[in-house]
Amino acid sequence: MPTTAFVLGGGGVLGATQVGMLQALLAADVTPDLVIGTSIGAVNGAFVAADPTAEGVARLEELWRDVVRSGEMGESPVRQAARFAKYRTHVMRRGVIPDLVERHLGVERIEDLAVPFQCVAAEIEGSASRWFTSGPVAPAVAASCAVPGLFAPVEIDGAHYYDGGLVHSIPVGRAIALGATVVHVLQVGRVEQPLSVPRNPLDVGLVAFEIARRHRFVEEIAEVPDDVRLHVLPSGVDRTPTASLIGQGSVAKVEDRMARAFDATSAYLQGTTS
């Protein structure tokens, strides 16, 4: 019997795209046997692994609206500047992600989620990937989301972690290694766009960072075995920014990304079954 994996990549506020994709998948009666997440995909992935139903994703959709509407992820620049002046490594308060997960997920440990779930973070001391497969959900997801410069490194069991996108931006290979035979890739739109040669100093940094973030996904896609059915779900958006933070979003933009992804993914899934 096929093993279906949902693989959710990183992307900050663009992660709202994944909510629309999840809605389309569940509406088409496609449910996961395994959920793999990186960065914001770890947040969305944990929630769908906790409740892989249309009702569960509807609650995730409302959570996105509430977080963006309340400005919970977007403190005042003055407060962020003060925090950076004090710590010199980050601008967001340490507990924002784990507090969010603990308040709304309703499950404390990874092994207690309804669907097997894993998320990845980059270990600083060992310069290695760390896959969280058991233990408390909230710190694992926070580690996977710890964007350098935005969040402080997350300490777990004496090691320190940064954002999982540094090592696996969209971890398709992990899902296949765990036995997935059908893989649905929930990406945020960046990989749909070819990169362009930089024209200014800012572009140089953004393009270099995007190559570093994207190359492993490109290589893993090229090496997918013939007996694995791979579906890279469409975002429905023509243009996606390279850099995006949760605090930069608005409710209207978040809802637009969800709706576009739902429509595009629904059409794609209908085409694969017709």
Side-chain angles (χ1 to χ4, degrees):
M1 186 172 180
T3 297
T4 299
F6 288 2
V7 177
L8 297 89
V13 71
L14 305 179
T17 303
Q18 296 170 350
V19 179
M21 292 174 175
L22 289 169
Q23 292 169 328
L25 286 164
L26 294 173
D29 293 323
V30 180
T31 56
D33 302 303
L34 171 68
V35 179
I36 308 289
T38 291
S39 198
I40 193 63
V43 177
N44 290 332
F47 276 86
V48 75
D51 186 359
T53 66
E55 293 77 12
V57 176
R59 286 192 290 273
L60 176 60
E61 177 185 5
E62 191 56 36
L63 176 60
W64 267 85
R65 288 197 185 96
D66 289 346
V67 169
V68 174
R69 187 184 296 118
S70 67
E72 188 171 358
M73 296 292 292
E75 290 182 306
S76 73
V78 173
R79 181 170 293 182
Q80 291 183 347
R83 186 173 291 114
F84 183 77
K86 180 178 180 179
Y87 295 106
R88 311 298 292 177
T89 59
H90 59 280
V91 299
M92 298 291 289
R93 69 177 179 87
R94 290 179 181 271
V96 62
I97 296 293
D99 288 352
L100 182 73
V101 174
E102 288 174 355
R103 287 202 312 273
H104 298 283
L105 185 64
V107 179
E108 292 185 3
R109 298 185 66 82
I110 292 173
E111 55 266 40
D112 294 331
L113 294 166
V115 175
F117 168 77
Q118 298 186 9
C119 65
V120 65
E123 183 190 332
I124 294 173
E125 289 87 353
S127 302
S129 304
R130 162 77 186 272
W131 289 96
F132 293 94
T133 61
S134 62
V137 181
V141 169
S144 190
C145 292
V147 178
L150 182 63
F151 293 101
V154 174
E155 182 178 357
I156 300 175
D157 299 331
H160 297 82
Y161 297 94
Y162 267 144
D163 191 284
L166 296 172
V167 286
H168 291 275
S169 62
I170 309 176
V172 170
R174 180 71 173 185
I176 295 173
L178 292 171
T181 54
V182 181
V183 179
H184 292 276
V185 176
L186 288 76
Q187 48 85 37
V188 301
R190 292 183 181 128
V191 297
E192 296 171 338
Q193 303 169 180
L195 295 174
S196 300
V197 175
R199 303 294 182 186
N200 58 60
L202 176 60
D203 283 349
V204 171
L206 291 176
V207 168
F209 179 70
E210 187 63 15
I211 290 171
R213 177 167 54 189
R214 191 183 297 192
H215 82 282
R216 185 163 190 163
F217 170 72
V218 173
E219 292 175 354
E220 289 183 349
I221 290 295
E223 297 171 357
V224 171
D226 293 339
D227 60 349
V228 173
R229 285 182 286 157
L230 179 72
H231 302 283
V232 181
L233 303 179
S235 70
V237 178
D238 295 330
R239 184 69 184 166
T240 299
T242 302
S244 56
L245 304 176
I246 293 281
Q248 296 173 336
S250 68
V251 173
K253 289 180 180 179
V254 162
E255 290 179 340
D256 181 65
R257 292 201 74 91
M258 290 178 184
R260 288 175 180 267
F262 175 81
D263 290 342
T265 297
S266 296
Y268 171 85
L269 292 173
Q270 186 175 15
T272 61
T273 56
S274 60

